[in-house]
Amino acid sequence: MKKFNNTYIFIYSTVLVVVVAAILATVAIVLKPFQQKNMESEQMQMILSAANIEVARTDAPQKYAQACKEAFLVNVDGQVVSSKDAEEAKKEAFNIDVKEQLQKYTDGNKEAKLPIFVCEKDNGEKVYVVPVRGVGLWGAIWGYVALKSDANTVESVVFDHEGETPGLGSNIKDDPNFRNKFVGKTIFEGNEFVSVAVEKRVGTDNPHKVDALTGATLTSNGVSDMLQNGLKFYVSYFNNLKK
């Protein structure tokens, strides 16, 4: 049996590691555009889903282009601050880092800006879709809320999470019954913003509250805080719409 000295083994191992690393780096570069497109399709699908327009992820880009023809950025004062060119404004709204901008808003930075997606359903009704983001039990939670043309009544919502407990907190995404509880709720009491709270044993009659998930109190609280903090940013814009 042929024996190899330590120098040979070291050189061989080094070359092998370099070759494998180069292959992995090449694969990552090749796959990156596909991964980016998949992430964009998922985002489009979530926006459409919040607007009650259900499509497969593969069909989301085409339907998004058809149904959500307008999108733009607004500041906390309700003023549009994105490009005057409609297509450029739509790109800005889609690509903005919501997490970063919400943190600016939380820190009191007046330069924070967040997107609004104006989508049109098949019946011609316009809905206003806005992103929300917060913290659940084990990590980040996020989603979109769609309001009807009255800028008050919830058309629908869609949520996702980083790592909530399967069968419990994960039901903010997996249980359609939880999502459906928000439909028809309102975020204003008269002229006062009240959001939609997620609380235990509230029943179905309260126009501003929904029942929390069983066994997922902290995740439910996270959703409640996420809606309060996220929707509050848009109050000035929504009030301007109602004038």
Side-chain angles (χ1 to χ4, degrees):
M1 180 181 292
K2 188 175 181 179
K3 294 184 179 181
F4 299 100
N5 59 36
N6 291 339
T7 301
Y8 177 87
I9 294 173
F10 175 78
I11 294 174
Y12 178 84
S13 300
T14 301
V15 171
L16 183 62
V17 168
V18 170
V19 170
V20 171
I23 293 172
L24 291 176
T26 302
V27 171
I29 292 172
V30 171
L31 292 179
K32 187 174 181 179
F34 298 98
Q35 293 172 333
Q36 183 64 32
K37 283 188 177 181
N38 189 53
M39 290 171 61
E40 291 175 355
S41 295
E42 182 180 18
Q43 184 179 344
M44 291 174 184
Q45 185 186 34
M46 288 187 72
I47 293 170
L48 291 167
S49 184
N52 254 338
I53 304 172
E54 301 296 341
V55 295
R57 185 175 301 178
T58 53
D59 299 327
Q62 181 179 3
K63 188 63 177 179
Y64 175 82
Q66 294 172 349
C68 300
K69 296 180 180 179
E70 186 179 6
F72 44 84
L73 298 171
V74 299
N75 62 21
V76 70
D77 295 321
Q79 301 168 328
V80 176
V81 293
S82 55
S83 171
K84 292 182 179 180
D85 179 80
E87 284 304 312
E88 186 62 29
K90 190 175 179 181
K91 290 178 182 177
E92 290 174 350
F94 188 82
N95 293 319
I96 193 76
D97 188 331
V98 173
K99 180 181 178 180
E100 177 185 290
Q101 295 301 317
L102 277 173
Q103 187 59 55
K104 282 185 179 181
Y105 173 56
T106 302
D107 294 340
N109 188 331
K110 291 292 186 179
E111 295 184 359
K113 49 191 177 182
L114 286 171
I116 293 178
F117 303 90
V118 186
C119 300
E120 188 172 306
K121 298 171 61 180
D122 291 339
N123 62 6
E125 181 184 0
K126 284 187 176 181
V127 293
Y128 298 89
V129 183
V130 298
V132 289
R133 190 175 182 93
V135 179
L137 174 59
W138 300 114
I141 55 175
W142 61 90
Y144 290 90
V145 177
L147 298 180
K148 292 181 178 293
S149 55
D150 63 0
N152 183 27
T153 306
V154 176
E155 170 74 25
S156 188
V157 299
V158 59
F159 300 127
D160 206 339
H161 62 92
E162 188 174 70
E164 298 306 289
T165 307
L168 297 173
S170 68
N171 282 336
I172 63 171
K173 174 185 178 181
D174 300 334
D175 185 358
N177 292 323
F178 180 69
R179 173 184 174 185
N180 291 338
K181 291 176 182 179
F182 292 86
V183 176
K185 300 296 182 179
T186 52
I187 66 169
F188 288 93
E189 180 68 56
N191 293 322
E192 180 184 358
F193 171 70
V194 293
S195 187
V196 180
V198 183
E199 299 179 3
K200 292 181 179 180
R201 296 183 291 275
V202 298
T204 59
D205 295 332
N206 193 304
H208 313 300
K209 296 181 179 181
V210 302
D211 276 324
L213 290 166
T214 302
T217 300
L218 293 180
T219 304
S220 296
N221 291 345
V223 172
S224 194
D225 291 341
M226 175 174 69
L227 295 175
Q228 171 70 30
N229 297 331
L231 293 175
K232 186 178 180 180
F233 180 93
Y234 296 97
V235 167
S236 293
Y237 179 81
F238 292 147
N239 281 333
N240 290 336
L241 278 180
K242 294 186 286 184
K243 291 180 181 179

